[in-house]
Amino acid sequence: MTRWAVVAVTLAACRHGGAPVAGPCPTAPVVVAAQAQVDALAGCASLAALHVRSAAPLDLTPLGGLVEVTGDLTIGPTLAITSVGLPALRRVGGTFRLDSGGLVSGVFAPQLTAVGGLTMRDAPALTTVSVPALTTVAGDVRLERVPALEHVDALALTTVVGDLVVIAPALSSWLGLAPQVGGVTTVQAPVGPGA
């Protein structure tokens, strides 16, 4: 059975007559590329890993109840997703990654408090990264090749265990104090009080 067939069978387990159910959600990593696959995850509060990639426009609203991803959460490559909003997400055990997000203009995770890593790169339309409750990144923070970036809302961020790499336009603003960084700091944009 191919990997896609396993994902399709696993996702089918989350659906019952097209309505979200509180039944079993996938326990294996999930790859989604179509709206029906996103819709099948409605009601899932926890996933092992999630990779969203598609050339089609996808509405990620069904992921609104997602609280935890124990592994990586990757958005991209995408061509037609315009915004990533995960209002209930609190923890990502691996890396929360936007990679090659063609039209994504904003990433919003207002309740996210901890991630293994945070990477936003190759996203030419990205203007806003909003993670105001994020306090700790257990690995690296990397914001690279984001030429339209205007705001990084990281008001609560105090600790980056790995590297902090921010390569963004000079007019970008970092909302929050400069975090304590355990690795190398490379900043080509304002980071710190009043920046």
Side-chain angles (χ1 to χ4, degrees):
M1 186 179 286
T2 70
R3 178 178 177 179
W4 284 104
V6 170
V7 169
V9 169
T10 303
L11 288 175
C14 272
R15 293 183 59 91
H16 176 69
V21 295
C25 289
T27 56
V30 177
V31 177
V32 298
Q35 189 63 51
Q37 294 171 316
V38 176
D39 294 344
L41 296 174
C44 292
S46 180
L47 294 171
L50 176 62
H51 189 159
V52 177
R53 60 180 179 199
S54 179
L58 296 179
D59 175 9
L60 300 182
T61 304
L63 299 176
L66 186 61
V67 174
E68 178 183 37
V69 177
T70 56
D72 290 341
L73 170 56
T74 303
I75 310 293
T78 68
L79 297 177
I81 294 174
T82 58
S83 182
V84 176
L86 299 165
L89 186 66
R90 293 182 183 273
R91 183 179 174 282
V92 177
T95 298
F96 183 3
R97 179 181 293 115
L98 172 66
D99 198 354
S100 301
L103 296 179
V104 176
S105 63
V107 174
F108 305 93
Q111 295 191 55
L112 184 65
T113 59
V115 296
L118 182 67
T119 299
M120 306 282 154
R121 67 178 174 207
D122 297 319
L126 185 66
T127 62
T128 304
V129 176
S130 182
V131 287
L134 182 63
T135 59
T136 304
V137 178
D140 297 342
V141 172
R142 296 185 172 276
L143 305 175
E144 304 171 290
R145 297 183 297 278
V146 286
L149 189 66
E150 295 175 1
H151 303 287
V152 177
D153 182 356
L155 288 170
L157 185 61
T158 58
T159 305
V160 176
V161 175
D163 297 341
L164 173 65
V165 178
V166 179
I167 300 173
L171 295 177
S172 299
S173 63
W174 181 281
L175 306 177
L177 300 176
Q180 180 179 5
V181 178
V184 175
T185 300
T186 303
V187 177
Q188 296 176 11
V191 174

